[in-house]
């Protein structure tokens, strides 16, 4: 079909509609490596600005760690740039299987299969292990990639209210006649920074003979005493049937993901998961980098310990400044502003103060729950966090939101 | 019919309404964003268990589930 003016106009109208609705996403160009201190070009063509980054998933500060960079260089030299093949034809190297073994050990599971991304892992896993005779019961706030995976699977799907264990139990009873029941949750929820009650969920899954799936993308490497994830924090290592996670956040931040869990389920993915079967796996230099990341994290808990301290300092500082944050102890710390325009204005003013943090609003979060999502890193030093707190105090004072209740902020700025 | 409407309405409120949104028998449930299409499954199973009926999948459409009134019309079609 020719790309006619009419067609072009149709898409132009859609894009204009997104801009008018305030839903148009604009990229900001970073001219430095990913780190606590970055140089940003925004808007396009503007001169570079040095800012402190408090919105990356670089939880452990490993994205540009010299040992990881060095390992990736070595992997590039020894194993090349790409594979030009999917895994089961001629796209599997020794280091892919080495990494799968290391992830298995790190997460305390039975086996692991790599995927090009965790998005792909979530897109492929349900269809590979469940059929139309089964049911998936998911938390209502699971990540978009899980929702896509659920849509691709022929099993029945139902939901339970966010973190509501009584409601989950009702759903397990309702669907007790199904061949398999699979309960699906994030370990750490990316918008609110809260954790799934995995101890209770394991208990319920054992009681009702259900599989338990947990996406650990926002927890692998730093949640739990030795950073193994939410399952470590809740004392249920070895009891999660399917874990998916990413290497694109705390674990080096480059790319790639995996399914890790019961041996037969991983094998089912190797035989049937379409993103695994029909696309190349993780490139050799990235595999080498992730191997180094896991070596670093297995040798010492220093980085997750530092992240824990930074997070406590940050949460206390924001609270003392009089800002409303979501309670919890993870490094995802949403500063609640409730009103979408206020969230955008505060983000813009923080940027002027040298702090890079993004506003989130409907439809990414519910209406009336707009916020600045801040994310703390082991790559932050206290001076970074002090400067960011100072900026939040200054901007908060400008908008008169310090020490104000949710009701008072909504009365002034609206939902 | 009125009793059924109350039962369905109470279930929808308990299951899907998390704020003080008021619900009438004609409030649009799916098109109004109160019940997402994923969650229709439990509503369908609830109705089947409660009234001992079987609603074919091709009849359990978002349109047929879009209000308490419409749901009750659908259920009545399969009640013997």
């Amino acid at each position: 079909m020719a790309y006619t003016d009419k067609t072009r106009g149709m898409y132009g109208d859609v894009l204009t509609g997104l801009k008018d609705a305030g839903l148009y996403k604009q990229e900001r160009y970073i001219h430095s490596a990913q780190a606590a201190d970055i140089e940003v070009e925004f808007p396009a063509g503007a001169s570079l600005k040095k800012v402190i980054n408090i919105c990356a998933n670089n939880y452990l500060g490993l994205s540009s760690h010299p040992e990881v960079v060095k390992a990736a260089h070595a992997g590039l030299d020894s194993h090349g740039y790409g594979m030009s093949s999917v895994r089961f034809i001629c796209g599997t190297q020794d280091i892919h299987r080495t990494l799968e073994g290391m992830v298995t050990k790190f997460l305390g599971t039975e086996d692991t299969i790599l995927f090009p991304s965790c998005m792909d892992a979530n897109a492929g896993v349900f269809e590979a292990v469940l059929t139309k005779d089964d049911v998936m019961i998911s938390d209502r706030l699971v990540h978009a990639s899980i929702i896509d995976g659920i849509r691709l699977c022929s099993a029945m799907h139902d939901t339970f209210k966010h973190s509501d264990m009584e409601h989950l139990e009702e759903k397990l009873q309702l669907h007790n006649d199904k061949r398999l029941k699979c309960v699906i949750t994030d370990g750490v929820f990316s918008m609110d920074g809260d954790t799934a009650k995995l101890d209770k969920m394991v208990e319920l899954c054992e009681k009702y003979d259900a599989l338990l799936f947990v996406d650990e993308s926002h927890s692998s490497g730093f949640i739990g005493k030795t950073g193994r994830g939410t399952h470590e924090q809740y004392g249920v290592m070895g009891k999660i049937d399917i874990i998916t996670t990413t290497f694109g956040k705390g674990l080096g931040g480059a790319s790639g993901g995996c399914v890790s869990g019961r041996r037969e389920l991983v094998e089912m993915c190797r035989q049937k998961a379409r993103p695994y079967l029909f696309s190349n796996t993780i490139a050799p230099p990235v595999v080498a980098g992730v191997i180094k990341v896991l070596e670093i994290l297995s040798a010492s808990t220093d980085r997750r310990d530092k992240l824990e301290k930074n997070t406590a300092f940050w949460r206390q500082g924001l609270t003392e400044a009089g800002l409303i944050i979501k309670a919890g102890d993870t490094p995802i710390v949403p500063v609640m502003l409730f009103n979408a325009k206020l969230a955008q204005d505060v983000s813009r003013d923080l940027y002027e103060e040298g702090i890079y943090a993004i506003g989130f609003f409907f439809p990414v979060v519910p209406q009336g729950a707009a916020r600045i999502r801040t994310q703390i890193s082991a790559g932050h030093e206290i001076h970074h966090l002090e400067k960011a707190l100072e900026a939040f105090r200054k901007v908060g004072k400008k908008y008169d939101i310090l020490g104000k209740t949710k009701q008072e902020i909504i009365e002034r700025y609206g939902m | 019919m009125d009793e059924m409407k109350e039962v369905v309405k109470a279930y929808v409120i308990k299951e899907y309404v998390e704020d003080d949104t008021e619900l009438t028998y004609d409030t649009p449930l799916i098109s109004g964003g109160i019940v997402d299409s994923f969650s229709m499954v439990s509503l369908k199973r609830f109705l089947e268990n409660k009234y001992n009926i079987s609603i074919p999948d091709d009849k359990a459409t978002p349109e047929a589930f879009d209000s308490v009134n419409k749901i009750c019309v659908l259920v009545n079609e399969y009640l013997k």
Side-chain angles (χ1 to χ4, degrees), chain A residues 23 56 123 140 195 206 212 219 221 243 301 313-314 325 330 348 399:
Chain A
L23 300 174
R140 286 189 182 163
T195 53
E206 286 177 348
L212 181 53
S219 42
I243 291 174
T301 61
F313 178 85
W314 180 245
I325 61 171
T330 70
R348 186 197 59 229
Y399 290 97

Side-chain angles (χ1 to χ4, degrees), chain A residues 259-318:
Chain A
V259 171
S260 191
R262 304 296 180 196
R263 190 171 297 108
E264 297 76 14
L265 302 182
V266 170
E267 191 57 27
M268 287 295 286
C269 287
R270 224 177 274 284
Q271 301 307 316
K272 294 183 69 178
R274 295 172 70 83
Y276 167 86
L277 292 173
F278 298 113
S279 75
N280 290 7
T281 191
I282 309 170
V286 176
V287 173
V290 181
I291 287 173
K292 178 52 72 177
V293 164
L294 291 178
E295 283 173 4
I296 291 170
L297 298 181
S298 300
S300 160
T301 61
D302 286 355
R303 301 192 81 79
R304 60 84 52 210
D305 295 346
K306 184 179 174 192
L307 175 60
E308 192 170 62
K309 283 180 191 157
N310 281 352
T311 299
F313 178 85
W314 180 245
R315 284 181 173 273
Q316 187 182 343
L318 288 173

